[in-house]
Amino acid sequence: MIPCKTLIRTSFSCLEFPPKLTVTTLRHFTSSLPPHPGLKLKTQEPFPTSRSFCCAKGAIPLESVTLETPLDSLSKDNVEELLVSKDKDDISRLMKMERYPESDGELKDNRKRERWFPYLDKFKAEDVCLSSGEVLEAMEPYIMDVRKEKFRNAVNNRSYSVCLVVEGLSDCGNVSAAFRSADALGFQSVHVVSYDSSKSISSPPCRFRDNRHVSMGAEKWLDIELWDSTKECFGILKSRGYRIATTHLGADAVSVYDMDWSCPTAIVLGNELRGISAEALELSDLHCSIPMRGMVDSFNVSVAAGLLMHQAVRDRTFRMGCHGDLTQEERQILLAEFYLRHSNTAMRIANEYSKKKLATHVSKL
């Protein structure tokens, strides 16, 4: 459904009533769409385009930037396009701030931190690079206070210490549900591995469009990474400091309730029918499982993903006091990332701000 961008409100304050208007007339008006013959609508000025959400000092003039309704679910099926795309660079259109390159030197510098964080404090605008603080300054006049508060709450509860990996899922409804659970529980990083092009989520028969309502637009706020092989994915995750925990019903499987989730962990779920691949089992650091108490021996994969992530949050909260563990600097960078993902015009606003910044710098020379 395409959201309506113009809301016309009619209240009794914009009605001119005749001197002898009765209660019966009012009842007749409220129960019938066409106005009563004794009533007439006044001509009312259109609602102003600019609304004061906060201090608008330094804001980009609205004549140069057309604001759009923020959408949690974009007009195109982003996840479907990503999953069927063979170009991993497509994820760049969802991630706005500059990310650490995967080169050995940069990875080594990033691993000096306690755990992995992907973003640099830099956004490449058209003319200059902006810091996260400058992105926030540029965008804040155009975001409602209630929305900004929701962003802050989400960022404060976000973590990269535990990430979700789905390997070769064939039902995009399960992918959508897993994404939704990841966002709801505060997991920022999700990985999609496809090892069977004929049956995996990268094949054309996968139809995310029919399951879009399942994700509720969660894909917009997650860091999604696509991988062509399990080996490639696990290699990068290990270089980032993660231990790999694959879900598997085996004699050596550890209960998820006995695991220490305060350690950086990548939790891996496999195909709906075949489960985890033999390659993933061999390359993983440990196997884990959810204890089953009934007659069946497995959960639906999206349900299992939700249960695993929920247990991770519970365990981390018990051990550390909270699940979200970003530093103040990291929270600000991720908040800027969310601001840039907020609406289709966010990038344009940031670019206009960069031009203004450049012009100010040149004038001082």
Side-chain angles (χ1 to χ4, degrees), residues 104-140:
D104 293 339
E106 294 289 353
L107 275 174
K108 185 176 180 180
D109 291 340
N110 199 4
R111 286 192 64 183
K112 291 179 180 178
R113 302 167 180 253
E114 292 183 0
R115 69 279 173 287
W116 167 256
F117 183 77
Y119 293 108
L120 296 164
D121 190 9
K122 181 169 63 175
F123 168 69
K124 284 188 178 180
E126 288 184 352
D127 303 297
V128 296
C129 288
L130 301 179
S131 67
S132 57
E134 290 171 323
V135 170
L136 298 180
E137 181 181 351
M139 293 298 302
E140 281 197 344

Side-chain angles (χ1 to χ4, degrees), residues 272-287:
E272 294 89 343
L273 297 177
R274 299 181 296 274
I276 292 287
S277 68
E279 181 183 23
L281 290 174
E282 182 180 353
L283 295 174
S284 61
D285 298 307
L286 73 151
H287 305 156

Side-chain angles (χ1 to χ4, degrees), residues 50-205:
S50 176
R51 293 173 288 177
S52 178
F53 301 136
C54 62
C55 178
K57 183 179 179 180
I60 308 300
L62 290 179
E63 290 77 15
S64 62
V65 177
T66 303
L67 296 181
E68 297 181 5
T69 304
L71 304 177
D72 281 344
S73 182
L74 302 182
S75 60
K76 296 202 177 201
D77 297 338
N78 279 335
V79 173
E80 181 186 24
E81 293 178 357
L82 285 174
L83 298 183
V84 301
S85 173
K86 294 182 179 180
D87 185 0
K88 290 189 294 184
D89 291 337
D90 282 350
I91 64 172
S92 62
R93 64 187 176 87
L94 294 179
M95 303 181 197
K96 312 303 182 183
M97 300 293 287
E98 291 295 301
R99 290 170 62 90
Y100 280 98
E102 297 292 347
S103 62
D104 293 339
E106 294 289 353
L107 275 174
K108 185 176 180 180
D109 291 340
N110 199 4
R111 286 192 64 183
K112 291 179 180 178
R113 302 167 180 253
E114 292 183 0
R115 69 279 173 287
W116 167 256
F117 183 77
Y119 293 108
L120 296 164
D121 190 9
K122 181 169 63 175
F123 168 69
K124 284 188 178 180
E126 288 184 352
D127 303 297
V128 296
C129 288
L130 301 179
S131 67
S132 57
E134 290 171 323
V135 170
L136 298 180
E137 181 181 351
M139 293 298 302
E140 281 197 344
Y142 305 106
I143 303 178
M144 296 179 65
D145 288 338
V146 64
R147 188 69 165 173
K148 288 187 285 189
E149 185 64 24
K150 189 169 185 178
F151 284 156
R152 294 190 190 98
N153 288 336
V155 167
N156 288 339
N157 289 284
R158 276 305 206 250
S159 176
Y160 285 89
S161 295
V162 181
C163 66
L164 177 69
V165 182
V166 292
E167 184 197 38
L169 298 190
S170 57
D171 185 344
C172 282
N174 287 329
V175 180
S176 304
F179 284 1
R180 181 174 177 178
S181 296
D183 173 73
L185 292 168
F187 294 82
Q188 185 63 25
S189 178
V190 296
H191 302 258
V192 180
V193 181
S194 175
Y195 64 91
D196 186 343
S197 61
S198 64
K199 297 179 181 179
S200 71
I201 53 178
S202 64
S203 59

Side-chain angles (χ1 to χ4, degrees), residues 247 269 290 299-309:
T247 53
L269 295 102
I290 304 173
F299 288 101
N300 169 276
V301 66
S302 63
V303 174
L307 291 172
L308 286 164
M309 289 186 287

